[in-house]
Amino acid sequence: MLDRRLRPVPAGVSGELYLAGDALARGYHRRGSLTADRFVANPFGGPGDRMYRTGDIVRWNDADQLVFTGRSDFQVKVRGYRIELGEIDAALLTHDLVDFAATTGHEMPSGQTALVSYVHLTPGVHAADIDTADLARHVGLTLPSYMVPSQIIVLDEVPLTPIGKLDRRALPEPELVITYREFRAPTTPIEETVATVFADVLGLQVVGLDDDFFELGGNSLLATQVVSRLGVALDAQVPVRALFESTTVAALAVRVEQEAGRGARIALSKMTRPDRVPLSLAQQRMWFLNRFDTQSATYNLPMALRLRGDLDVAALQVSIMDVIDRHESLRTVFPDSPEGPHQVIRAAAEVVPDLTPTVIAADELPEAVRRLASTGLDVTSEVPIRAELFELGDSEHVLVVVVHHISADGWSIGPMARDIMVAYTARTDWEEPSWAPLPVQYTDYTLWQRQILGSEDDEQSLISRQLDYWRRSLAGIPDQLDLPADRPRPSQQSYAGATAEFRIDPELHRGLVDLARTRNASLFMVVHAALSVMLSRCPDRTTLRSVLPLPAAVSRRSTI
């Protein structure tokens, strides 16, 4: 049983069931695409070994039995949540008037997925006898809001295939405008503007006053587009939080009206480069920490790419130069000066790492990667990227790239790996990469951020007001939390730790979920708030133990 990254899942956690072994078939007869989808490489076997994706989602129960929980074929992702459609069907079937239920994910014009359920009523009950809005509310009694179907369609007859299975292709197409509310047209100019922006971002023809942005298919990424467009259209600064707290057109229009005409935040764009470019606030923090210990690897971000087949080392070398040339942050150093640190962008040809292959045995590779990843870097004189190519054999290499956090973060690794592959593919054909030019660089963001926030010397600037808020909010907190550990805090941070396992019973989990739902929050937010409350009482060990008695495993080990 494996997760989506082909890692084994622990007991009690659902995963997809895979089959492997000598009895495994070679594939589906004359069905290459299906074979490629279902028969995948076996990361736990030898070269050429494969395993079969069954599509069954299962988990181990307390009796060491496999329990079937659903199918991966019928999973969709809505608002960032992965949903098992069978759970929605099961909730619908608990209604006394529903005899059959099937839920599908329907792609809306905005590109987001909306849940559409099809139901067949019990004998003797007609469509006119039931309100689909009541069915949706019935589902909401047992499932979270993101799993409540956006539309429920009552079927006169369930379409079946010749062998008696549900014919999903014969199900009727749902309407594009999905809402249970009676349409009310906007009446004021601001309401019309909000409704128009909703419709444009979500790809809908019309949006009414009472329509909910998230029920129509919106998500957090689209929410940033909404507030940005409203800010430009109404000359206002609309925080993203306002949309999450006021999700309908009518409610958001009231919030926006309070900010209209006060000046929209300038858009991020290419900026005029001054002679001396300051650091962004995040870079300033990384620079400060780096000056304490240039040999620390705490903020190194390593990436290893295993390359199989005939490798064109010269093309790979040029492709790395292409990527460094494309992203200025990868060729920037941050020297100090009497006025403080600043950014100096170097030419890519000056800083590209040497990728001459280092021949190494396979068992020596982990240590070589650790050595490269754990070597410190002085950001005042060295560019924040280093790379090395290891040769394990004639047709197997490993490219290791390490980037410092002052110029990248965890999300940067994916785009960087993609750009390396795109550039390498082009260079092997003696062509330049065909990627589109970047609209802005990080330096542009730095200058934009400084312009938006203003100077700390100006009491009326945005950054001064924010700093003043946090000074007042954090006033009086202790410099150090004296946690009830089994040994004194070391004088120098070691970054060493351990893990304490504990179990949350189903009743407590249900209570946490219910609390999150009633407070319009996520489960993570609730647990984070509980942890914050506990830590707020930590300076007094007696208080902490009375609030949350520590399990024996925690009290015996330095785990916090």
Side-chain angles (χ1 to χ4, degrees):
M1 291 178 298
L2 308 176
D3 62 14
R4 293 187 173 276
R5 295 184 180 181
L6 299 184
R7 299 173 303 188
V9 297
V13 177
S14 296
E16 185 169 357
L17 184 66
Y18 288 77
L19 302 179
D22 295 337
L24 191 66
R26 297 186 59 85
Y28 289 96
H29 182 55
R30 295 183 178 179
R31 301 185 68 181
S33 60
L34 183 58
T35 298
D37 178 63
R38 288 296 181 181
F39 290 81
V40 298
N42 184 356
F44 311 101
D49 284 353
R50 298 170 305 147
M51 55 185 182
Y52 175 71
R53 295 181 55 226
T54 66
D56 291 333
I57 305 299
V58 296
R59 62 176 174 81
W60 291 107
N61 64 11
D62 294 337
D64 291 332
Q65 296 173 323
L66 281 179
V67 178
F68 175 79
T69 62
R71 291 280 302 174
S72 62
D73 318 66
F74 301 144
Q75 287 185 343
V76 297
K77 198 170 185 180
V78 176
R79 305 184 202 172
Y81 297 97
R82 187 159 297 280
I83 295 172
E84 179 65 51
L85 297 178
E87 293 186 39
I88 304 174
D89 299 342
L92 285 167
L93 288 172
T94 61
H95 195 281
D96 294 337
L97 302 182
V98 176
D99 182 59
F100 166 86
T103 304
T104 63
H106 179 76
E107 185 174 346
M108 302 181 67
S110 63
Q112 304 305 307
T113 299
L115 298 173
V116 180
S117 293
Y118 300 85
V119 298
H120 186 264
L121 305 180
T122 55
V125 180
H126 304 285
D129 300 332
I130 192 169
D131 185 356
T132 55
D134 290 336
L135 282 179
R137 285 189 287 270
H138 176 78
V139 174
L141 295 176
T142 55
L143 296 179
S145 59
Y146 61 84
M147 294 184 69
V148 176
S150 300
Q151 186 177 15
I152 298 178
I153 299 176
V154 179
L155 301 174
D156 295 329
E157 184 178 356
V158 179
L160 300 176
T161 65
I163 60 173
K165 291 186 176 182
L166 174 65
D167 188 354
R168 293 181 176 269
R169 291 177 297 180
L171 293 172
E173 283 291 316
E175 300 175 7
L176 293 182
V177 179
I178 299 177
T179 179
Y180 291 117
R181 298 177 175 87
E182 182 179 350
F183 178 79
R184 285 201 305 145
T187 57
T188 68
I190 292 182
E191 289 175 348
E192 291 178 355
T193 301
V194 174
T196 300
V197 171
F198 274 23
D200 289 344
V201 171
L202 297 174
L204 303 175
Q205 294 296 324
V206 63
V207 174
L209 269 181
D210 301 313
D211 288 333
D212 186 286
F213 175 75
F214 295 101
E215 289 183 1
L216 294 175
N219 58 25
S220 57
L221 295 178
L222 294 178
T224 60
Q225 297 184 31
V226 168
V227 298
S228 177
R229 294 192 188 191
L230 288 176
V232 173
L234 300 173
D235 191 27
Q237 293 188 20
V238 184
V240 176
R241 179 176 179 175
L243 180 52
F244 281 88
E245 294 176 344
S246 306
T247 58
T248 65
V249 172
L252 185 59
V254 174
R255 295 285 298 272
V256 171
E257 188 173 7
Q258 301 170 1
E259 301 292 335
R262 297 188 180 182
R265 176 175 292 179
I266 63 173
L268 173 61
S269 60
K270 281 190 174 296
M271 309 290 285
T272 301
R273 305 287 178 88
D275 294 335
R276 184 179 179 280
V277 179
L279 277 61
S280 72
L281 298 181
Q283 288 178 330
Q284 193 169 295
R285 175 178 177 270
M286 288 292 104
W287 185 91
F288 184 78
L289 293 172
N290 182 255
R291 301 318 299 144
F292 272 109
D293 185 7
T294 58
Q295 299 306 310
S296 172
T298 303
Y299 295 102
N300 286 357
L301 302 175
M303 174 187 70
L305 297 175
R306 186 175 293 271
L307 310 171
R308 290 189 172 94
D310 296 332
L311 180 66
D312 188 334
V313 176
L316 182 61
Q317 180 79 66
V318 177
S319 68
I320 293 293
M321 182 183 296
D322 288 328
V323 174
I324 294 177
D325 184 62
R326 175 173 170 79
H327 301 280
E328 289 181 351
S329 61
L330 296 178
R331 46 190 172 93
T332 301
V333 293
F334 307 87
D336 197 2
S337 70
E339 294 78 22
H342 59 283
Q343 300 188 46
V344 176
I345 302 172
R346 294 183 176 177
E350 299 177 5
V351 301
V352 64
D354 181 10
L355 293 187
T356 301
T358 300
V359 180
I360 192 173
D363 58 350
E364 298 173 345
L365 179 63
E367 181 57 35
V369 173
R370 280 193 291 269
R371 171 187 53 78
L372 184 62
S374 60
T375 301
L377 184 149
D378 186 346
V379 300
T380 63
S381 58
E382 300 176 77
V383 291
I385 183 173
R386 58 166 60 101
E388 195 167 340
L389 181 64
F390 298 102
E391 181 179 336
L392 304 181
D394 293 338
S395 59
E396 186 168 4
H397 297 76
V398 174
L399 173 66
V400 181
V401 181
V402 181
V403 185
H404 194 275
H405 196 17
I406 198 170
S407 292
D409 59 15
W411 287 100
S412 307
I413 301 302
M416 182 171 65
R418 178 198 62 208
D419 282 357
I420 292 174
M421 295 298 99
V422 169
Y424 177 76
T425 302
R427 290 301 181 181
T428 54
D429 293 332
W430 295 87
E431 296 178 356
E432 293 185 357
S434 58
W435 48 46
L438 295 176
V440 293
Q441 294 281 350
Y442 193 82
T443 300
D444 299 307
Y445 167 78
T446 299
L447 298 172
W448 173 84
Q449 182 189 59
R450 294 287 183 174
Q451 184 175 346
I452 290 293
L453 295 178
S455 171
E456 296 180 29
D457 298 329
D458 180 7
E459 295 182 356
Q460 301 303 317
S461 68
L462 178 58
I463 191 172
S464 293
R465 297 198 305 269
Q466 291 182 349
L467 287 173
D468 183 62
Y469 167 82
W470 285 111
R471 288 192 188 99
R472 287 184 282 105
S473 298
L474 302 179
I477 66 172
D479 294 332
Q480 175 176 299
L481 290 181
D482 293 322
L483 300 176
D486 61 351
R487 67 196 69 189
R489 180 190 294 266
S491 58
Q492 183 174 354
Q493 190 173 8
S494 66
Y495 299 99
T499 300
E501 295 185 358
F502 57 94
R503 181 180 296 274
I504 295 178
D505 58 70
E507 292 76 15
L508 176 57
H509 179 265
R510 172 54 60 185
L512 293 171
V513 171
D514 290 342
L515 177 60
R517 190 177 304 165
T518 57
R519 296 294 180 176
N520 196 27
S522 66
L523 180 59
F524 173 85
M525 294 166 66
V526 172
V527 176
H528 188 275
L531 177 63
S532 299
V533 170
M534 184 195 74
L535 292 179
S536 71
R537 304 184 184 186
C538 275
D540 184 349
R541 293 191 181 188
T542 303
T543 304
L544 174 65
R545 293 183 181 276
S546 65
V547 172
L548 184 65
L550 294 175
V554 176
S555 62
R556 289 196 304 268
R557 303 169 62 189
S558 179
T559 59
I560 301 181

